[in-house]
Amino acid sequence: MPTLNINLPEKKYPILIKKGMLNHIGEEIKKIYKNKKIAIVTDNNVEKIYGQRIKEQLRNDFEIKMIVVEPGEKSKSISVLQNVYEELLDFEITRGDLIMAFGGGVVGDLTGFAAATLLRGIPFIQVPTSLLAQIDSSVGGKVAVNLPKGKNLVGNFYHPKAVFIDPELLKTLDNRFFCDGMAEIIKYGCIRDQNLFDDLLNYTKEELFEHLEKIIYTCCHIKKSIVERDELDTGERMLLNFGHTLGHAVEKHYRYEKYTHGEAVAIGMYHITKKGEAMGITEKGTKNFIKEILCKYDLPYEMPPMDQEEIIKTIGLDKKNKGQYMNMVLIKKIGESFIEKIHRKDIEVLI
């Protein structure tokens, strides 16, 4: 079983990747958790497909409660968080019990933040069911909810006890949401691994699925290495947000309805690379490679109609900003990224 270990000064935990993991999830949990109560937070879509299976795997050894939220970004809200708190308290959960995030990135972020804050911290595990969550959001300890003014503005760094990744769960993903996750894999290629980028560009669909376990491992390994060096996102970890600053602005403008997270990030990656080329700090032709790979995986690349002032206002709230400067992630070429510090008054050049 491919295994990675996150090693931080005050926290260590495993990332286990195995096809069919869900069929043995109870056995894996018993290795790290000795009490009985498990609260499972999931969404309607995942519950309909896998709810019964996970109950069957756990009910002989654990007392379980299923908390189900609506799918989609709008569930990463203070109001839904409040409801999750109430259900956890109705379950009489304690700091010695366990919470499971069983879903995609939204469920993982929401559940992780609930675990981090209720009773000042309850242990939790990640069992990601989407490609995006398996290769990115379930790893690294960032948990958050959104506010009307922007995405992930209320959050914390709170790491799980373990991440259990079953690539078999991706077989039931709608093609649009599989491609949503591909945007984040492409991001890893852009910022750190040209070989991964080239492989993705050349794979047939069959080859992609054949190599999926390896791809998940590669992405998790890149993120693990970066997080271990910069857990609190003050330097190198910002590179993982390539395409995200503009992407978050796109998501918010369209009220999280028109574009998925990955689609918005795809737009952000292409746009910022196009601007980088125009400024002479990104190798000529890079934007064409990104456009080609985005088109291959049915992802958008052109910035949709948006008011420039609105974009500037939204990215002004970005968590990577420091004082009068905004930290923007660009690439020199595929596989090589850097952070450009730009004064707020000059940000128009990148919009």
Side-chain angles (χ1 to χ4, degrees):
M1 178 188 311
T3 304
L4 291 163
N5 290 291
I6 301 280
N7 295 301
L8 300 166
E10 296 182 11
K11 181 78 175 185
K12 302 182 191 305
Y13 60 94
I15 305 166
L16 278 62
I17 306 166
K18 184 181 180 182
K19 290 179 180 177
M21 171 84 72
L22 191 64
N23 298 326
H24 310 282
I25 193 72
E27 298 168 22
E28 296 298 335
I29 291 173
K30 282 193 287 185
K31 294 176 184 176
I32 61 168
Y33 174 60
K34 304 305 178 187
N35 288 354
K36 288 295 180 184
K37 279 191 176 182
I38 300 179
I40 304 168
V41 183
T42 189
D43 69 34
N44 278 314
N45 291 342
V46 174
E47 195 275 334
K48 285 174 187 173
I49 301 171
Y50 296 112
Q52 193 57 39
R53 273 179 65 187
I54 200 156
K55 286 177 186 175
E56 288 172 0
Q57 289 298 320
L58 299 177
R59 65 187 174 193
N60 290 337
D61 298 297
F62 302 101
E63 179 188 351
I64 59 176
K65 176 183 177 68
M66 189 84 78
I67 300 170
V68 183
V69 302
E70 292 297 317
E73 194 72 28
K74 288 189 175 181
S75 282
K76 272 179 62 174
S77 68
I78 296 292
S79 60
V80 174
L81 176 68
Q82 174 77 24
N83 292 335
V84 172
Y85 286 149
E86 294 293 340
E87 294 218 43
L88 289 169
L89 292 172
D90 287 345
F91 189 42
E92 298 182 350
I93 201 161
T94 73
R95 293 172 70 178
D97 297 320
L98 186 69
I99 301 173
M100 176 192 296
F102 184 47
V106 167
V107 166
D109 283 2
L110 172 70
T111 305
F113 188 70
T117 49
L118 188 63
L119 305 180
R120 296 196 178 96
I122 298 169
F124 87 113
I125 59 173
Q126 290 267 18
V127 184
T129 61
S130 71
L131 181 57
L132 187 150
Q134 291 190 355
I135 55 96
D136 191 75
S137 62
S138 67
V139 177
K142 279 189 180 181
V143 295
V145 293
N146 304 333
L147 293 179
K149 288 186 180 294
K151 189 163 175 173
N152 298 332
L153 292 179
V154 179
N156 203 347
F157 292 93
Y158 193 69
H159 295 273
K161 285 178 69 70
V163 182
F164 299 118
I165 297 173
D166 184 351
E168 292 286 328
L169 300 180
L170 304 178
K171 288 182 176 178
T172 55
L173 266 188
D174 177 85
N175 184 65
R176 183 184 183 191
F177 290 99
F178 184 84
C179 292
D180 173 66
M182 287 304 302
E184 291 283 0
I185 297 177
I186 291 165
K187 174 200 76 177
Y188 281 110
C190 287
I191 66 167
R192 189 51 60 91
D193 192 332
Q194 185 180 350
N195 289 333
L196 173 61
F197 188 96
D198 292 343
D199 285 343
L200 296 175
L201 203 52
N202 294 318
Y203 280 149
T204 64
K205 188 173 183 179
E206 292 73 23
E207 288 170 336
L208 176 71
F209 278 95
E210 183 183 329
H211 291 90
L212 203 50
E213 203 167 339
K214 175 188 171 188
I215 291 169
I216 293 169
Y217 180 91
T218 298
C219 293
C220 288
H221 188 271
I222 292 171
K223 187 159 190 180
K224 156 194 152 62
S225 301
I226 291 175
V227 167
E228 286 176 345
R229 291 191 292 268
D230 179 25
E231 179 186 1
L232 300 182
D233 204 14
T234 58
E236 184 183 4
R237 187 168 179 171
M238 293 183 194
L239 297 175
L240 295 168
N241 286 311
F242 176 57
H244 285 60
T245 299
L246 291 174
H248 287 168
V250 170
E251 284 184 275
K252 178 181 177 292
H253 176 81
Y254 289 95
R255 298 184 177 88
Y256 306 103
E257 293 172 350
K258 183 172 181 179
Y259 297 99
T260 66
H261 174 68
E263 289 167 348
V265 167
I267 291 168
M269 289 191 293
Y270 177 76
H271 188 79
I272 200 71
T273 303
K274 182 168 71 172
K275 292 293 184 178
E277 282 194 32
M279 295 166 64
I281 54 180
T282 299
E283 190 176 276
K284 289 291 183 185
T286 304
K287 71 177 189 296
N288 293 332
F289 286 122
I290 292 178
K291 177 180 175 181
E292 182 182 358
I293 201 168
L294 294 178
C295 289
K296 176 173 181 173
Y297 291 102
D298 298 323
L299 289 161
Y301 63 92
E302 289 283 15
M303 182 70 79
M306 288 175 62
D307 179 70
Q308 188 180 63
E309 288 302 315
E310 182 190 352
I311 298 174
I312 292 171
K313 186 175 179 181
T314 300
I315 67 177
L317 294 171
D318 192 276
K319 300 173 296 303
K320 297 182 292 301
N321 298 335
K322 304 289 183 184
Q324 292 302 307
Y325 289 90
M326 308 177 83
N327 291 302
M328 300 294 287
V329 183
L330 296 100
I331 55 176
K332 293 180 182 177
K333 59 181 182 178
I334 300 299
E336 220 175 293
S337 54
F338 64 100
I339 299 164
E340 183 79 0
K341 186 179 284 188
I342 298 173
H343 199 281
R344 287 176 183 267
K345 66 180 176 59
D346 298 324
I347 198 64
E348 301 87 29
V349 301
L350 291 176
I351 306 303

